[in-house]
Amino acid sequence: MKLKKEVALYIHIPFCKQKCFYCDFPSYASLDYLMDDYVDALCDEIENKGKDYLIRSIFIGGGTPSYLNKHQIKKVLTSLSKLTLGKDIEFSMECNPGALEEDKLKIMLENGVNRISMGLQAVQNNFLKDIGRIHTFKDFEENFKLARKVGFKNINVDLMFGLPNQKLEHWKESLEKISKLGPEHISAYSLIIEEGTCFYKMWDEDKLNLPLEDDEREMYSVTKSILKKYGYNQYEISNYSKSGYECLHNKIYWKCEEYLGLGSASSSFINGYRYKNIDNVKNYIDKINKKESVEENITLNSLEDNMEEFMFMGLRLIEGINIKEFKSRFGIDITSIYGEIIDKNIKCGLLEKKEYNLRLTEKGIEISNTVMSEFILDK
């Protein structure tokens, strides 16, 4: 019997109750009437495309997957259970306070979901309102405790710094309160103003009072010290976990390993090819129903693309990239491609080499985008 290729699996749910003001993901707050048809089409794609692979991790993201009703959630999870799943896989699902109930949590747990990722962003209600969240901090606390009561033992909480009008003491308060609740994993991202978002329009009109760069840098610095105090290990620029709870699925992305994306707007990287499904939800449903391909933008990565991505993504990890792995993947010594860039950044105190690992220093992490941009190759 032919062995199935092992991949991570991402499932996209494009529906939200309300679009957050900073969000540039392909998610929609006005397409509820398509939810049933979308779930049917998604299950069709899962069972047809997913059957050819051995699944090593699953991540259901969005949008807001927990915005689906309990019957729709059960339907998606039942389709996923028909695939060939690896032993003891990590199975994550994004859940937003304000779109979560006990029945939904029980269905998730009973049908294989063993990790939930809760979007919070801040503990202060005024900031939650100002960024377009639909919940209060009390809603979040109740949902978090409910998830524990139902039996979830692996919970991530998303937090965001650099918000409009946010001060250092506000950010410290968010970190302290969430650390005391004791989730297994905390993602702490800085706000990025993306084109096409509500915040971009406000920023363009000079209506956003964002923290200064130095203040944001201090917020990042205090994140590491506060979370360390509570037993969280930083393993990626924006991600912290208790021992044994690093997110396997995201590490697959950062290590440039293979993954399959299903659902509208999802992306895949398999056999050296990158491709994504069409964004338009109605078109996605129609094409699936007509047994037509929903894939677009199919490109074969060049050797240079693969090397760049290996460096870009791998340097996000605190352990950095493995020099031996570079050689085994690409058949070439890293110094013959990046020797000068590496030496220069080591001399500037932005990179450091420890045995076979090359990683960003603390100073390098602060200007990581600048350092990483140097690994783009002239083609």
Side-chain angles (χ1 to χ4, degrees):
M1 193 172 98
K2 188 184 171 190
L3 286 174
K4 292 183 176 181
K5 180 181 275 291
E6 197 175 5
V7 298
L9 176 60
Y10 173 76
I11 304 292
H12 189 65
I13 306 295
F15 307 104
C16 284
K17 187 171 182 180
Q18 178 176 294
K19 186 95 169 170
C20 298
F21 302 154
Y22 55 81
C23 179
D24 73 328
F25 292 146
S27 57
Y28 310 93
S30 56
L31 296 180
D32 291 18
Y33 68 98
L34 290 175
M35 284 166 82
D36 274 332
D37 289 342
Y38 181 82
V39 166
D40 288 343
L42 177 62
C43 290
D44 190 307
E45 192 186 20
I46 288 169
E47 291 177 33
N48 280 305
K49 276 193 195 162
K51 70 180 188 302
D52 298 328
Y53 299 95
L54 170 62
I55 308 302
R56 60 189 292 205
S57 71
I58 301 174
F59 194 104
I60 305 178
T64 308
S66 58
Y67 186 47
L68 296 178
N69 68 40
K70 61 185 181 182
H71 306 294
Q72 292 162 340
I73 290 171
K74 178 78 190 290
K75 203 167 195 175
V76 172
L77 297 179
T78 299
S79 281
L80 288 166
S81 72
K82 295 175 185 177
L83 306 182
T84 307
L85 306 180
K87 196 169 180 282
D88 301 324
I89 70 164
E90 178 188 274
F91 190 158
S92 304
M93 184 160 167
E94 286 183 348
C95 300
N96 271 355
L100 203 51
E101 298 131 26
E102 189 167 354
D103 282 355
K104 291 182 183 180
L105 284 163
K106 283 179 174 171
I107 287 166
M108 290 173 205
L109 196 63
E110 288 161 7
N111 288 274
V113 178
N114 53 29
R115 180 180 185 272
I116 58 173
S117 182
M118 299 183 74
L120 172 61
Q121 317 315 349
V123 303
Q124 300 85 4
N125 289 334
N126 58 313
F127 289 133
L128 294 175
K129 189 179 175 188
D130 289 349
I131 63 177
R133 303 298 284 172
I134 60 167
H135 57 86
T136 62
F137 180 57
K138 186 167 181 278
D139 294 332
F140 165 81
E141 276 187 303
E142 287 171 356
N143 281 183
F144 183 91
K145 287 169 185 171
L146 186 62
R148 286 294 198 220
K149 184 186 127 193
V150 166
F152 279 97
K153 295 179 171 64
N154 191 356
I155 301 177
N156 168 63
V157 177
D158 284 343
L159 295 173
M160 193 177 278
F161 63 93
L163 301 177
N165 303 308
Q166 188 183 43
K167 302 280 188 255
L168 184 62
E169 58 266 28
H170 299 133
W171 178 236
K172 284 181 178 176
E173 184 186 16
S174 287
L175 292 169
E176 292 278 351
K177 278 193 172 178
I178 297 311
S179 297
K180 283 170 184 168
L181 274 177
E184 285 65 36
H185 191 286
I186 295 175
S187 298
Y189 299 99
S190 66
L191 172 69
I192 296 171
I193 306 296
E194 303 282 8
E195 269 192 75
T197 63
C198 182
F199 267 0
Y200 184 85
K201 187 171 183 292
M202 291 169 72
W203 174 78
D204 199 39
E205 293 169 357
D206 205 21
K207 290 178 182 172
L208 270 192
N209 181 27
L210 296 173
L212 298 170
E213 203 174 307
D214 284 349
D215 295 337
E216 206 171 304
R217 202 166 281 159
E218 199 174 347
M219 287 180 187
Y220 177 77
S221 178
V222 85
T223 305
K224 291 190 284 186
S225 57
I226 290 175
L227 294 186
K228 191 174 183 182
K229 180 178 77 174
Y230 286 97
Y232 293 93
N233 171 55
Q234 184 186 24
Y235 69 97
E236 191 268 349
I237 288 177
S238 304
N239 285 275
Y240 304 76
S241 75
K242 292 190 173 175
S243 181
Y245 288 97
E246 294 180 356
C247 179
L248 168 67
H249 187 87
N250 283 341
K251 282 183 85 170
I252 288 167
Y253 295 149
W254 295 319
K255 290 182 176 233
C256 295
E257 292 169 357
E258 294 184 304
Y259 54 89
L260 173 68
L262 301 176
S264 65
S266 61
S267 298
S268 303
F269 178 49
I270 293 177
N271 296 327
Y273 283 91
R274 290 201 177 276
Y275 55 91
K276 71 179 284 287
N277 282 357
I278 55 177
D279 287 2
N280 186 287
V281 177
K282 179 77 169 66
N283 289 353
Y284 168 84
I285 294 166
D286 291 344
K287 281 182 175 287
I288 291 283
N289 290 341
K290 290 176 188 169
K291 310 293 181 198
E292 294 174 4
S293 173
V294 290
E295 295 167 8
E296 62 177 6
N297 300 338
I298 302 170
T299 56
L300 177 63
N301 261 21
S302 66
L303 178 64
E304 289 84 0
D305 291 332
N306 286 329
M307 288 192 291
E308 283 176 2
E309 287 168 11
F310 181 83
M311 299 303 292
F312 252 78
M313 301 301 285
L315 285 173
R316 289 194 62 85
L317 290 164
I318 300 306
E319 69 185 17
I321 61 104
N322 187 289
I323 289 164
K324 278 186 168 179
E325 192 184 341
F326 188 97
K327 179 82 181 275
S328 69
R329 276 204 194 198
F330 309 120
I332 193 164
D333 196 287
I334 195 169
T335 54
S336 65
I337 304 292
Y338 290 122
E340 283 183 32
I341 294 162
I342 291 169
D343 288 344
K344 183 188 107 176
N345 281 284
I346 287 174
K347 279 176 189 156
C348 292
L350 303 173
L351 283 175
E352 62 183 5
K353 202 150 78 167
K354 259 196 172 174
E355 293 179 355
Y356 293 106
N357 270 38
L358 180 72
R359 65 185 193 184
L360 290 167
T361 60
E362 290 209 6
K363 186 179 166 189
I365 287 172
E366 286 185 1
I367 54 165
S368 57
N369 288 342
T370 307
V371 180
M372 289 174 190
S373 68
E374 295 201 44
F375 288 90
I376 296 171
L377 297 166
D378 293 326
K379 297 170 194 170

